[in-house]
Amino acid sequence: MTNTFLPSYLSRENVGPWETYLAQVECVAPHIDRHLVPWIETLRRPKRSLIVDVPIKLDSGEVAHFEGYRVHHNLSRGPGKGGIRYHPDVTLSEVMALAAWMTIKNAVVQVPYGGAKGGVRVDPKRLSLAELERLTRRYTSEINILLGPDRDIPAPDINTNEQVMAWIMDTYSMNQGRTATGVVTGKPIALGGSLGRRDATGRGVFVTAREAARKLGVPIEGARIAVQGFGNVGEAAARIFSEHGARVVALQDETGALHRESGIDVALASAHREQAGGLKGFAGAEALSAEDFWRAPCDFLVPAAVENQITQHNAATIQARIVVEGANGPTTPQADLILQERGITVVPDVLANAGGVTVSYFEWVQDISSFFWSEAEINQRLDRIMSEAFNSIWDVSRARSLSLRTAAFVVGCKRVLEARALRGLYP
Ligand code: GLU
């Protein structure tokens, strides 16, 4: 297997997501047509980055300021597409990386979009619902110059949900003087949302895991699953794995970790989280330390939280056969090498979690055509796109002796760069 190229800055202890992305792009050049190579430079810089001040009136009457971002990484293949994240640790360089991963992801599953991402540096848990609405509407107004159904289409990401998407859609629509459902995806069904969108990322994680398992001869029935993160992606992935006869043996969220060899009841764990605000204290499993979570023997490990969770400090302890990246950027380049050397297959984020944006694309198509599909039809189309994407990347990885991540980057970057080269340099 060809080693991932590691630039010198990656020997540092703390590597940011943007540097991780740059290291991933470095692997592509030897595997694409020579005429595309000069265009790689366009992937190393975002097309445009907007930083906005988001002032809002708090319920107390005071005014608070938050910093917001919206980045268009690359628009060669279509309008910008990617979620909006509310988190106290959001930075411009993180949003740049998330936007760049959207560029690659959209190309991997061949949805006709470029890569974009947004974020506000805020802890939404400290805001009331009314404050959250004012924050969302002001942020939307500030990034309005970039938005539009054929320009830039946001979606949910960490700490944003259907209600937030409804406010974004309404704010944009009020300013346009018309109802523009196609400006955002992940909306409530009543506002042109799509059936199946809520579970789509978790379902896509399951489909790519199933395809990887087929190739490697690992049965899903009875397989042991460990899931880090129990939000929209982690919960759906755990539930869908269980529905297919797998055992969820370990779960972790920001409040604590759980273990149960015979399998955790995902519905009961969800009900506990609803009521207690997290997994901690769930009676249906034993408590586990955060370090022991990474050591839990399992067949599939699904990181479904934030970036930089699998690092050089825990990669050697991981007992999984297959890692399926539900999160964006959960594995550092150093950890990626360790997993590769240990023979652990990694289904990379730009492939594994692309189910969300795939059903976002279905939602946008349904909104534009004002014709809505059944959930069965959506799940079937999602399954087909995800398994075809997995299998074509698997074939490239085998043919060229590359990791699945590098193969996904080769396939994705090639599609973006072909579009870029055909469009040419303006003026
Ligand atoms: N935030 C999701 C992601 O990281 C979904 C993006 C979308 O649907 O546009 O892929």
Side-chain angles (χ1 to χ4, degrees), residues 81-83 102 105 117 155-157 185 197 328 353 356-357 360:
K81 185 88 190 81
M102 288 308 305
K105 190 187 303 186
K117 200 83 176 197
D157 198 77
T185 60
R197 176 62 184 85
N328 292 308
N353 72 36
V357 74
S360 276

Side-chain angles (χ1 to χ4, degrees), residues 42-80:
T42 63
L43 296 175
R44 294 196 186 102
R45 44 195 84 227
K47 178 179 175 63
R48 55 172 79 98
S49 308
L50 180 63
I51 305 177
V52 296
D53 175 37
V54 187
I56 60 159
K57 201 173 255 181
L58 300 175
D59 295 343
S60 64
E62 274 172 280
V63 174
H65 291 255
F66 300 94
E67 193 160 282
Y69 317 93
R70 186 75 185 168
V71 173
H72 288 175
H73 173 259
N74 184 291
L75 304 183
S76 294
R77 299 182 59 259

Side-chain angles (χ1 to χ4, degrees), residues 199-233:
D199 281 355
T201 312
R203 187 171 299 280
V205 165
F206 171 77
V207 171
T208 55
R210 183 195 69 204
E211 294 303 305
R214 255 184 212 152
K215 298 284 187 199
L216 299 168
V218 180
I220 295 282
E221 179 84 39
R224 295 159 306 167
I225 319 293
V227 181
Q228 189 222 13
F230 203 54
N232 175 263
V233 180

Side-chain angles (χ1 to χ4, degrees), residues 84-308:
I84 288 170
R85 174 174 294 198
Y86 289 169
H87 197 279
D89 299 334
V90 166
T91 60
L92 176 62
S93 71
E94 181 193 25
V95 176
M96 280 161 54
L98 292 164
W101 284 321
M102 288 308 305
T103 300
I104 312 299
K105 190 187 303 186
N106 292 335
V108 160
V109 285
Q110 302 197 71
V111 292
Y113 296 130
K117 200 83 176 197
V120 180
R121 197 171 166 81
V122 60
D123 183 357
K125 294 185 184 78
R126 297 174 66 150
L127 298 183
S128 69
L129 194 65
E131 289 166 341
L132 193 69
E133 177 173 354
R134 289 197 288 275
L135 177 93
T136 301
R137 289 187 184 279
R138 183 61 192 247
Y139 168 68
T140 305
S141 304
E142 294 296 340
I143 64 164
N144 188 52
I145 48 171
L146 300 182
L147 299 183
D150 54 1
R151 293 158 65 91
D152 178 359
I153 308 116
D157 198 77
I158 293 173
N159 291 329
T160 57
N161 57 20
E162 293 174 6
Q163 176 61 77
V164 172
M165 297 307 116
W167 290 326
I168 294 175
M169 180 278 219
D170 182 69
T171 305
Y172 178 83
S173 296
M174 294 309 286
N175 282 300
Q176 289 282 313
R178 68 186 173 97
T179 294
T181 53
V183 70
V184 73
T185 60
K187 298 179 294 296
I189 303 292
L191 292 177
S194 178
L195 295 167
R197 176 62 184 85
R198 208 179 287 169
D199 281 355
T201 312
R203 187 171 299 280
V205 165
F206 171 77
V207 171
T208 55
R210 183 195 69 204
E211 294 303 305
R214 255 184 212 152
K215 298 284 187 199
L216 299 168
V218 180
I220 295 282
E221 179 84 39
R224 295 159 306 167
I225 319 293
V227 181
Q228 189 222 13
F230 203 54
N232 175 263
V233 180
E235 191 275 337
R239 173 162 40 79
I240 295 167
F241 266 111
S242 305
E243 283 166 10
H244 287 82
R247 276 181 291 147
V248 177
V249 294
L251 284 177
Q252 195 211 87
D253 73 0
E254 65 275 17
T255 66
L258 303 171
H259 185 262
R260 189 167 185 246
E261 195 49 40
S262 59
I264 299 169
D265 185 317
V266 178
L268 290 181
S270 278
H272 174 84
R273 188 222 21 211
E274 283 306 301
Q275 183 241 316
L279 290 171
K280 195 178 170 187
F282 176 57
E286 304 95 57
L288 198 66
S289 72
E291 303 82 68
D292 283 344
F293 171 83
W294 298 107
R295 293 193 192 106
C298 57
D299 300 295
F300 296 87
L301 170 64
V302 181
V306 289
E307 300 93 64
N308 286 6

